Coordinates of all heavy atoms in Angstrom, one line a residue:
V111 N 231.2 23.2 95.2 CA 232.3 22.2 95.2 C 232.6 21.9 93.7 O 233.8 21.9 93.3 CB 231.9 20.9 95.9 CG1 232.8 19.8 95.6 CG2 231.8 21.2 97.4
L112 N 231.6 21.6 92.9 CA 231.8 21.2 91.5 C 232.4 22.3 90.7 O 233.3 22.1 89.9 CB 230.5 20.7 90.9 CG 229.9 19.4 91.5 CD1 228.6 19.0 90.8 CD2 230.9 18.2 91.5
N113 N 231.9 23.5 91.0 CA 232.5 24.6 90.2 C 234.0 24.9 90.6 O 234.8 25.1 89.7 CB 231.7 25.9 90.5 CG 231.9 27.0 89.5 OD1 231.8 26.7 88.2 ND2 232.3 28.2 89.9
A114 N 234.3 24.7 91.9 CA 235.7 24.9 92.3 C 236.6 23.8 91.7 O 237.7 24.1 91.4 CB 235.8 24.9 93.8
L115 N 236.0 22.6 91.6 CA 236.8 21.5 91.0 C 237.3 21.7 89.6 O 238.2 21.1 89.1 CB 236.0 20.2 91.1 CG 235.9 19.6 92.5 CD1 235.0 18.4 92.5 CD2 237.2 19.2 93.1
R116 N 236.7 22.7 88.9 CA 237.1 23.0 87.6 C 238.5 23.5 87.5 O 239.1 23.5 86.4 CB 236.1 24.0 86.9 CG 234.7 23.4 86.8 CD 233.7 24.4 86.4 NE 234.0 25.1 85.1 CZ 233.4 26.2 84.7 NH1 232.5 26.8 85.4 NH2 233.7 26.7 83.5
V117 N 239.1 24.0 88.6 CA 240.4 24.5 88.6 C 241.5 23.4 88.9 O 242.7 23.7 88.8 CB 240.6 25.7 89.5 CG1 239.5 26.7 89.3 CG2 240.6 25.2 91.0
A118 N 241.0 22.2 89.3 CA 241.9 21.2 89.8 C 242.6 20.5 88.5 O 241.9 19.7 87.8 CB 241.2 20.2 90.6
E119 N 243.8 20.8 88.3 CA 244.5 20.4 87.1 C 244.8 18.9 87.0 O 244.8 18.3 85.9 CB 245.8 21.2 86.9 CG 245.6 22.7 86.8 CD 247.0 23.4 86.8 OE1 248.0 22.7 86.9 OE2 246.9 24.7 86.6
C120 N 244.9 18.2 88.1 CA 245.3 16.8 88.1 C 244.1 15.9 88.4 O 244.2 14.7 88.4 CB 246.3 16.5 89.2 SG 247.9 17.4 89.0
L121 N 242.9 16.5 88.4 CA 241.7 15.8 88.8 C 241.3 14.8 87.7 O 241.3 15.2 86.5 CB 240.5 16.8 89.0 CG 239.2 16.2 89.5 CD1 239.3 15.6 90.9 CD2 238.1 17.3 89.5
K122 N 240.9 13.6 88.1 CA 240.5 12.6 87.1 C 239.1 12.0 87.4 O 238.3 11.7 86.5 CB 241.5 11.4 87.0 CG 242.8 11.8 86.3 CD 243.6 10.6 85.9 CE 242.9 9.7 84.9 NZ 243.7 8.6 84.4
V123 N 238.8 11.9 88.7 CA 237.5 11.2 89.2 C 236.8 12.1 90.3 O 237.5 12.5 91.2 CB 237.8 9.8 89.7 CG1 236.6 9.2 90.3 CG2 238.3 8.9 88.6
V124 N 235.5 12.2 90.1 CA 234.7 12.9 91.2 C 233.5 12.0 91.4 O 232.8 11.6 90.5 CB 234.2 14.3 90.8 CG1 233.5 14.9 91.9 CG2 235.4 15.1 90.3
I125 N 233.2 11.7 92.7 CA 232.0 11.0 93.1 C 231.2 11.8 94.1 O 231.7 12.2 95.1 CB 232.4 9.6 93.7 CG1 233.0 8.7 92.6 CG2 231.2 8.9 94.3 CD1 233.4 7.3 93.1
N126 N 230.0 12.1 93.7 CA 229.1 12.9 94.5 C 228.2 11.9 95.2 O 227.4 11.2 94.6 CB 228.3 13.9 93.7 CG 227.4 14.7 94.6 OD1 227.6 14.9 95.8 ND2 226.3 15.2 94.0
V127 N 228.2 11.9 96.6 CA 227.4 11.0 97.4 C 226.1 11.7 97.7 O 226.0 12.7 98.4 CB 228.1 10.6 98.7 CG1 227.3 9.7 99.5 CG2 229.5 10.0 98.4
T128 N 225.0 11.2 97.1 CA 223.7 11.7 97.4 C 222.9 10.8 98.4 O 223.3 10.7 99.5 CB 222.9 12.0 96.1 OG1 222.6 10.8 95.4 CG2 223.7 13.0 95.2
S129 N 221.8 10.3 97.9 CA 221.0 9.5 98.9 C 220.0 8.6 98.1 O 219.6 9.0 97.0 CB 220.2 10.5 99.8 OG 219.3 9.8 100.6
D130 N 219.6 7.5 98.7 CA 218.5 6.7 98.1 C 217.2 7.5 98.1 O 216.2 7.2 97.4 CB 218.3 5.4 98.9 CG 218.0 5.6 100.4 OD1 218.2 6.7 100.9 OD2 217.7 4.6 101.1
K131 N 217.1 8.6 98.9 CA 215.9 9.4 99.0 C 215.7 10.4 97.9 O 214.8 11.2 97.9 CB 215.8 10.1 100.4 CG 215.7 9.1 101.5 CD 215.7 9.8 102.9 CE 215.6 8.8 104.0 NZ 216.8 7.8 104.1
C132 N 216.7 10.4 96.9 CA 216.6 11.3 95.8 C 215.5 10.9 94.8 O 215.1 11.7 94.0 CB 217.9 11.4 95.1 SG 218.4 9.9 94.2
Y133 N 215.0 9.7 94.9 CA 214.0 9.2 94.0 C 212.6 9.7 94.4 O 212.3 9.9 95.6 CB 214.0 7.7 93.9 CG 215.2 7.1 93.3 CD1 216.1 6.4 94.1 CD2 215.5 7.3 91.9 CE1 217.3 5.9 93.5 CE2 216.7 6.7 91.4 CZ 217.6 6.0 92.2 OH 218.7 5.5 91.7
E134 N 211.8 9.9 93.4 CA 210.4 10.3 93.6 C 209.7 9.1 94.2 O 209.5 8.1 93.6 CB 209.7 10.7 92.3 CG 208.2 11.1 92.5 CD 208.0 12.3 93.4 OE1 208.8 13.2 93.2 OE2 207.0 12.3 94.1
N135 N 209.4 9.1 95.5 CA 208.9 7.9 96.3 C 207.4 7.7 96.0 O 206.6 8.6 96.4 CB 209.2 8.1 97.8 CG 209.0 6.7 98.5 OD1 208.0 6.1 98.4 ND2 210.1 6.3 99.2
K136 N 207.1 6.6 95.4 CA 205.7 6.3 95.1 C 205.1 5.3 96.1 O 204.0 4.8 95.9 CB 205.6 5.8 93.7 CG 206.2 6.7 92.6 CD 206.0 6.2 91.2 CE 206.7 7.1 90.2 NZ 206.0 8.4 90.1
E137 N 205.9 4.9 97.1 CA 205.4 4.0 98.1 C 205.0 2.6 97.5 O 204.1 2.0 98.0 CB 204.3 4.6 99.0 CG 204.6 5.8 99.7 CD 205.5 5.6 100.9 OE1 205.9 4.5 101.2 OE2 205.9 6.6 101.5
W138 N 205.7 2.3 96.5 CA 205.4 1.0 95.9 C 206.4 -0.1 96.4 O 207.5 0.2 97.0 CB 205.5 1.1 94.3 CG 206.7 1.5 93.7 CD1 208.0 1.5 94.2 CD2 206.9 2.2 92.4 NE1 208.9 2.0 93.3 CE2 208.2 2.5 92.2 CE3 206.0 2.5 91.4 CZ2 208.7 3.1 91.1 CZ3 206.4 3.1 90.3 CH2 207.8 3.4 90.1
P139 N 206.1 -1.4 96.2 CA 207.0 -2.4 96.7 C 208.2 -2.7 95.9 O 209.1 -3.5 96.3 CB 206.1 -3.7 96.8 CG 205.1 -3.4 95.7 CD 204.8 -1.9 95.7
W140 N 208.3 -2.1 94.7 CA 209.4 -2.4 93.8 C 210.6 -1.5 94.2 O 210.5 -0.5 94.8 CB 209.0 -2.1 92.4 CG 207.9 -3.0 92.0 CD1 207.9 -4.3 91.7 CD2 206.5 -2.6 91.8 NE1 206.6 -4.8 91.4 CE2 205.7 -3.7 91.5 CE3 205.9 -1.3 92.0 CZ2 204.4 -3.6 91.2 CZ3 204.5 -1.3 91.7 CH2 203.8 -2.4 91.4

Side-chain angles (χ1 to χ4, degrees):
V111 169
L112 295 180
N113 198 53
L115 287 174
R116 294 168 63 192
V117 308
E119 297 176 358
C120 299
L121 185 64
K122 289 193 66 173
V123 170
V124 183
I125 293 181
N126 182 23
V127 180
T128 64
S129 170
D130 57 347
K131 297 176 180 64
C132 69
Y133 295 110
E134 180 65 38
N135 194 306
K136 302 181 185 298
E137 299 291 357
W138 58 25
W140 301 286

